[in-house]
Amino acid sequence: MLEVKHIRANQKEYVQALKKRNFEADSVFEAILNLDERRRSTQKKLDEILFESNSLSKEIGMLFKSGEAEKANAAKVKTAGLKEDSKRLGEEMGDVATELQALLYQVPNIPHPSVPAGKSEEDNEEIFSEGEIPILSKSALPHWELAKKYDIIDFELGNKITGAGFPVYKGKGARLQRALISYFLDKNTEAGYNEVQVPLLVNEASGYGTGQLPDKEGQMYHVGNDDLYLIPTSEVPLTNIYRDDLLNFKDLPIQLTAYTPCFRREAGSYGAHVRGLNRLHQFDKVELVNLVKPDDSYQVLDAMVEHIKTILRELKLPYRILRLCGGDLGFTSALTFDFELFSTAQDRWLEISSVSNFETFQANRLKIRYKDVDNKKALIHTLNGSSLALPRVLAGILENYQTDEGIVIPEVLRPYAGFDKIS
């Protein structure tokens, strides 16, 4: 969330910037600043009362020692009144803080100046593309038909066991899935990321910390009896490792990677664009998370983009990069680049990664700070990116690498898979 001091100092600029997101901030900012003024005023009164109460407590002891019991008892009566006042003001402070927090949770991150204005994904900017789109035979099939033909993914069985959006990977389909996970993790650790295995369930504080709550509450699976949430991405537990921590500048950057299954409810929609692996409720993903000094964060963002480019080049998949417009930008992000690969059999682009800089937005919620070289405390910047989300990468490999004799496995994956063709 945004810091109140920055809203106060940059109110007009922030209002204009948030219009890129189609978010009208005027009234919310006025309410936030009024509540903060009330909070500070109440805190001042409370501090004054506590100071007076402490002074009287010392004075009472001295009065009793000097035999001035009448004055001491009068001071005790006054102290009791001050305690009542301090209790009332403390409760008022708590109410104001809760109301202020609730308003701050409603405000999305300030978009980076490079973010284009726009209302939807139609307004995103393509900034890079690479790779040759293969020419397939007229008999080419979409991945859901290939999965059935070669018996490597069973969507109907998943529907029987759980429901739609929970596929069962079989035989070489399961082995190819495992090969991709191992390959992605190896590429990330070779690039300096530390591999971590994290819980698949998180508490409410973790969801609020990274911004999934309350913004995406409807998309998360909730375990009611335990008040826990299945993770929509390993970004949530990875970043929460450092919640409430004070780091030293020498500890930064912190670079983490993890493989996890991910769980998301998706709005109901139908048609070929959500068939097969295109949209799932459970899917595997390898994630990157960076905690860095503010001055380094955009350089790190560029490095993350280049790292994912390297992976897609090795897989020899045609892809493009989009800069998301304000209307399509995630609630917590200041700047996001989406990677999309081209599915030749479907004749459409499929999103496979989002790489984002959140600046201090998450760190302020999580209270992750660091001490700089001058021993001053400041919020860090957090970044994350998919490296990569598996379902659509797998769909792209199945479709783009299909031949009349079977599906060829990308050369870089063959040592991991243990086979070079699905036939």
Side-chain angles (χ1 to χ4, degrees), residues 142-147 152-155 165-169 173 176-177 180 266 271-284 343 346 348 350-352 389-399:
H143 70 268
W144 54 86
E145 293 186 23
L146 291 167
I152 54 175
I153 307 171
D154 197 323
F155 297 100
F166 296 88
V168 175
Y169 299 84
L176 182 54
Q177 182 91 334
L180 280 164
E266 296 281 359
H273 67 291
V274 295
R275 287 191 65 180
L277 298 172
N278 288 350
R279 184 172 296 173
L280 301 175
H281 295 305
Q282 177 182 325
F283 59 96
D284 291 325
S343 165
Q346 297 181 68
R348 61 187 294 257
L350 302 173
E351 181 195 330
I352 53 169
L390 272 79
R392 294 173 181 174
V393 173
L394 185 57
I397 289 172
L398 296 180
E399 294 182 3

Side-chain angles (χ1 to χ4, degrees), residues 216-421:
K216 292 182 172 62
E217 187 166 7
Q219 294 181 24
M220 295 178 74
Y221 284 97
H222 184 228
V223 183
N225 288 345
D226 302 292
D227 197 21
L228 297 173
Y229 294 85
L230 283 166
I231 62 168
T233 165
S234 59
E235 168 205 342
V236 181
L238 283 173
T239 315
N240 272 278
I241 289 171
Y242 297 94
R243 175 160 34 105
D244 298 321
D245 282 3
L246 178 61
L247 307 169
N248 191 290
F249 75 95
K250 294 177 183 177
D251 300 325
L252 302 174
I254 293 171
Q255 297 180 292
L256 307 174
T257 186
Y259 152 69
T260 63
C262 303
F263 305 86
R264 294 183 193 176
R265 287 193 181 97
E266 296 281 359
S269 56
Y270 304 91
H273 67 291
V274 295
R275 287 191 65 180
L277 298 172
N278 288 350
R279 184 172 296 173
L280 301 175
H281 295 305
Q282 177 182 325
F283 59 96
D284 291 325
K285 184 153 69 85
V286 176
E287 191 79 358
L288 301 174
V289 165
N290 279 280
L291 284 70
V292 303
K293 291 180 285 186
D295 289 347
D296 298 337
S297 68
Y298 280 95
Q299 184 178 345
V300 170
L301 182 67
D302 290 340
M304 292 171 73
V305 168
E306 290 302 316
H307 176 65
I308 295 168
K309 281 183 183 179
T310 301
I311 292 174
L312 291 169
R313 282 171 185 151
E314 290 188 0
L315 289 172
K316 297 181 180 176
L317 290 168
Y319 70 95
R320 67 179 183 177
I321 303 174
L322 305 176
R323 190 198 327 264
L324 297 195
C325 72
D328 200 30
L329 195 63
F331 186 86
T332 54
S333 177
L335 178 61
T336 294
F337 296 107
D338 269 7
F339 282 74
E340 297 182 339
L341 69 78
F342 192 75
S343 165
T344 310
Q346 297 181 68
D347 193 29
R348 61 187 294 257
W349 292 97
L350 302 173
E351 181 195 330
I352 53 169
S353 176
S354 286
V355 186
S356 302
N357 189 345
F358 306 109
E359 297 187 356
T360 60
F361 195 83
Q362 286 183 333
N364 190 31
R365 288 185 176 216
L366 292 157
K367 299 295 177 271
I368 307 176
R369 297 169 299 160
Y370 77 104
K371 284 186 177 180
D372 63 18
V373 288
D374 299 319
N375 223 29
K376 293 179 181 177
K377 296 175 185 178
L379 292 170
I380 62 159
H381 279 195
T382 63
L383 305 92
N384 87 275
S386 309
S387 176
L388 292 161
L390 272 79
R392 294 173 181 174
V393 173
L394 185 57
I397 289 172
L398 296 180
E399 294 182 3
N400 290 340
Y401 276 88
Q402 64 179 300
T403 69
D404 292 336
E405 290 76 39
I407 299 164
V408 177
I409 303 304
E411 189 174 347
V412 72
L413 292 178
R414 293 174 192 174
Y416 293 93
F419 55 90
D420 57 13
K421 185 183 288 187

Side-chain angles (χ1 to χ4, degrees), residues 77-105:
V77 171
K78 189 174 182 181
T79 300
L82 290 172
K83 284 182 179 178
E84 285 296 317
D85 289 342
S86 66
K87 181 183 177 182
R88 175 181 54 79
L89 288 171
E91 290 172 351
E92 187 179 331
M93 279 281 293
D95 291 342
V96 170
T98 299
E99 195 175 344
L100 178 59
Q101 187 92 325
L103 281 177
L104 286 168
Y105 279 151

Side-chain angles (χ1 to χ4, degrees), residues 17-23 108-127 321-338 340 354-356:
L18 286 170
K19 286 181 178 178
K20 280 188 178 181
R21 288 181 170 271
N22 309 302
F23 183 88
N109 202 356
I110 303 301
H112 187 267
S114 68
V115 171
K119 294 185 177 180
S120 71
E121 61 183 24
E122 303 298 323
D123 301 312
N124 294 336
E125 289 181 354
E126 181 178 328
I127 61 168
I321 303 174
L322 305 176
R323 190 198 327 264
L324 297 195
C325 72
D328 200 30
L329 195 63
F331 186 86
T332 54
S333 177
L335 178 61
T336 294
F337 296 107
D338 269 7
E340 297 182 339
S354 286
V355 186
S356 302

